[in-house]
Amino acid sequence: MKNYIKKVIIVCLFLSGIVHGQSTEQPETKETVTVKSFSLKSTEGNLVSLNDYKGKFVVVHIATTWCPYCNAEAPYLEEIYNEYKDKNVEVLIIDVKEPSALVKERIKDRFNLSFPVLLDTNGKVAASFAPKDVLPELARDEIMLASNLLIDPQGKIQFMSLLDTKNFDVKLINLKNRLNEIL
Amino acid sequence: MKFYSIVLCFLFLAISGHTQQFVEFNGAKISKALKKQEVDIILSFKIAERYHIQSELESLDGSIATKIAFDDNDSFEIISNEFTFKQNQVIVLNQYAHNVLTDEFEVTVRLKLNKKTLNFKNLLKGILSYQACTDKQCLFPRDLDFKIQNIL
């Protein structure tokens, strides 16, 4: 009987993973991360891969249309793009779990962004950046909103900021300082 | 035996699929009946420590305002609902004022009873939709179901 219950629990564990779509893959800490390449569709319908940016610095911002902090930072991401595009720096926004038309209207067009806004429809790419020591009790895809990463030409993370509303760096001064340091 | 397997599986799935909530329904106070068969019901909610939720006011910053919706009930009509709170914070993000709620808040719901209904359904059911953040993260929006029996 005990063995039988064990078997049932194992099957249920397996099923619950499927039903709730939770990845068991552990994200790496930022110190060890070489970012895995990803391919996502943009709001314009183009497939954009991190590999397309080989040899460049890439700023990645994780967002949703309803995230007030993300929306506050968006104009400053455009500012960074314009200021650093001639210095081998690209900018990408990865929107999490929202439909293309909504993201196009509320992020890409609203802030008149010149760089691609990508659609992470199941949140797995955004989740893959999450350091494992940040609020581990919550689902991984809830970790990274309003975060900024700077990925270097070797694919290593050179800067990562998690949301900090008490010391909110809306103008992305820390990210700019890091860019100025390494460029 | 199969029956127990199915029950165990469903129980397990139900528990593991439970969405973590950051607002708790703390019950309701019912004021004495007003004129014209109107009744005020005050719903109390408690926001988890360290969390804030977006206020009920629409904002230009794209955030999701907290909303309350009620199930239809032939026995009464919802005339109005109004949020009141002890703590309201205003954060300015770029040029937009951004209102958030912390700690506790109440929603006063005014009902007009329908005289014509023979079988009075003594139940108020609804959903509070909210989006919570801490100082360090913003979470995907959630729905909190609530219900109050014996409203009169």
Side-chain angles (χ1 to χ4, degrees), chain A residues 65-78:
Chain A
T65 58
W66 48 261
C67 165
Y69 303 97
C70 309
N71 289 332
E73 288 181 14
Y76 296 100
L77 286 163
E78 176 68 14

Side-chain angles (χ1 to χ4, degrees), chain B residues 47-58:
Chain B
I47 301 165
E49 213 176 313
R50 297 190 298 117
Y51 289 84
H52 59 258
I53 66 169
Q54 311 307 325
S55 83
E56 82 286 11
L57 306 169
E58 294 293 340

Side-chain angles (χ1 to χ4, degrees), chain A residues 66-69 163 165-166 168, chain B residues 23 47-48 50-66 83-93 96-106 130-139:
Chain A
W66 48 261
C67 165
Y69 303 97
L163 178 63
T165 64
K166 294 264 176 186
F168 186 48
Chain B
V23 178
I47 301 165
R50 297 190 298 117
Y51 289 84
H52 59 258
I53 66 169
Q54 311 307 325
S55 83
E56 82 286 11
L57 306 169
E58 294 293 340
S59 166
L60 291 172
D61 63 13
S63 58
I64 296 176
T66 298
F83 282 65
T84 49
F85 35 80
K86 289 179 187 165
Q87 291 198 40
N88 176 29
Q89 263 180 283
V90 179
I91 303 166
V92 178
L93 300 173
Y96 302 123
H98 176 72
N99 294 280
V100 298
L101 307 179
T102 54
D103 194 19
E104 290 174 7
F105 66 98
E106 293 179 337
Y130 67 94
Q131 188 269 307
C133 294
T134 66
D135 293 343
K136 301 287 180 191
Q137 64 175 167
C138 283
L139 302 152

Side-chain angles (χ1 to χ4, degrees), chain B residues 67-128:
Chain B
K67 285 195 174 75
I68 195 159
F70 302 94
D71 286 8
D72 287 339
N73 188 325
D74 293 340
S75 305
F76 52 78
E77 180 191 344
I78 309 271
I79 297 173
S80 64
N81 66 71
E82 190 184 341
F83 282 65
T84 49
F85 35 80
K86 289 179 187 165
Q87 291 198 40
N88 176 29
Q89 263 180 283
V90 179
I91 303 166
V92 178
L93 300 173
N94 275 348
Q95 69 269 42
Y96 302 123
H98 176 72
N99 294 280
V100 298
L101 307 179
T102 54
D103 194 19
E104 290 174 7
F105 66 98
E106 293 179 337
V107 182
T108 305
V109 188
R110 182 159 291 179
L111 308 179
K112 186 172 184 182
L113 307 179
N114 187 353
K115 276 184 185 173
K116 291 171 188 167
T117 309
L118 293 174
N119 298 316
F120 191 83
K121 284 188 211 160
N122 211 346
L123 175 72
L124 177 66
K125 271 178 83 176
I127 294 173
L128 181 86

Side-chain angles (χ1 to χ4, degrees), chain A residues 39-154:
Chain A
S39 295
L40 294 170
K41 270 200 173 168
S42 72
T43 50
E44 313 306 311
N46 304 318
L47 193 64
V48 176
S49 167
L50 190 61
N51 283 336
D52 301 340
Y53 295 91
K54 253 187 182 166
K56 295 187 171 196
F57 288 91
V58 184
V59 171
V60 175
H61 176 79
I62 314 286
T64 60
T65 58
W66 48 261
C67 165
Y69 303 97
C70 309
N71 289 332
E73 288 181 14
Y76 296 100
L77 286 163
E78 176 68 14
E79 199 177 283
I80 283 183
Y81 176 71
N82 288 318
E83 203 175 322
Y84 291 91
K85 66 182 175 189
D86 296 332
K87 297 177 183 170
N88 204 30
V89 177
E90 299 286 343
V91 178
L92 296 171
I93 285 181
I94 296 180
D95 180 274
V96 185
K97 292 184 179 178
E98 292 188 299
S100 179
L102 181 77
V103 179
K104 185 168 171 7
E105 180 199 329
R106 302 238 178 125
I107 298 182
K108 177 81 174 168
D109 295 349
R110 177 182 174 197
F111 297 110
N112 203 17
L113 300 177
S114 314
F115 54 82
V117 179
L118 309 183
L119 305 164
D120 187 9
T121 50
N122 58 19
K124 282 191 176 170
V125 171
S128 72
F129 295 126
K132 66 182 170 189
D133 51 348
V134 178
L135 298 172
E137 75 276 16
L138 290 165
R140 309 305 302 166
D141 57 359
E142 297 199 297
I143 297 288
M144 293 291 288
L145 292 179
S147 295
N148 296 292
L149 295 102
L150 173 61
I151 301 167
D152 72 12
Q154 286 71 47

